[in-house]
């Protein structure tokens, strides 16, 4: 989980409920206090191992499912580099792909969306 604010906390809660075999959740935030607060609040509540990742790269390379709830900007931050993402990983961006290297979305096998496109 990238981004440990309100939305990030709820994503971690959902992951723990929706993925019964979940062994660990790796979290990362540019504000270490936010990551620490998420861990302190959710670890006892969920009973899942929650690990503060030392960097975006370490978290990306440690997880099968990746989610981001960070800032939404016109130009991508591309914090997570394309070369860190491997085949088979699932990415759930809740920040309009701001956090991800744009090249990653160009090589995705599949897209799932919550609403159909109205464009031709």
């Amino acid at each position: 989980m990238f981004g440990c604010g309100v939305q990030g906390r709820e994503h971690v809660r959902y992951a723990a409920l929706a993925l019964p075999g979940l062994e660990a959740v790796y979290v990362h935030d540019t504000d270490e206090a936010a990551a620490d607060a998420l861990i302190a609040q959710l670890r006892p509540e969920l009973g899942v191992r929650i690990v503060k990742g030392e960097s975006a790269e370490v978290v990306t390379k440690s997880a099968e499912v990746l989610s981001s709830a960070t800032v939404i900007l016109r130009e991508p931050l591309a914090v997570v580099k394309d070369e860190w993402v491997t085949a088979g990983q699932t990415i759930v961006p809740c920040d309009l792909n701001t956090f991800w290297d744009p090249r990653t979305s160009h090589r995705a096998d599949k897209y799932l969306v919550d609403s159909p496109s109205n464009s031709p």
Side-chain angles (χ1 to χ4, degrees):
M1 181 73 236
F2 297 106
C4 295
V6 172
Q7 196 172 20
R9 245 188 339 267
E10 294 308 312
H11 284 236
V12 171
R13 274 193 179 107
Y14 178 77
L17 293 172
L19 303 168
L22 187 65
E23 294 177 13
V25 175
Y26 296 85
V27 299
H28 180 70
D29 198 297
T30 55
D31 178 359
E32 280 199 53
D36 292 336
L38 181 149
I39 293 167
Q41 179 182 5
L42 295 184
R43 187 180 281 156
E45 175 186 324
L46 301 177
V48 172
R49 188 167 68 100
I50 304 175
V51 179
K52 182 168 64 173
E54 63 186 68
S55 69
E57 180 178 5
V58 168
V59 171
T60 302
K61 291 178 176 181
S62 299
E64 293 177 42
V65 177
L66 302 161
S67 185
S68 59
T70 62
V71 298
I72 296 175
L73 302 170
R74 182 176 298 270
E75 294 297 320
L77 291 172
V79 172
V80 175
K81 306 304 177 207
D82 184 57
E83 57 269 16
W84 302 344
V85 178
T86 59
Q89 285 180 301
T90 298
I91 299 173
V92 183
C94 297
D95 46 24
L96 299 175
N97 277 333
T98 305
F99 198 70
W100 307 88
D101 185 326
R103 294 175 295 170
T104 304
S105 62
H106 293 289
R107 64 183 179 90
D109 295 329
K110 193 180 295 184
Y111 285 90
L112 303 174
V113 297
D114 60 356
S115 61
S117 171
N118 292 327
S119 60

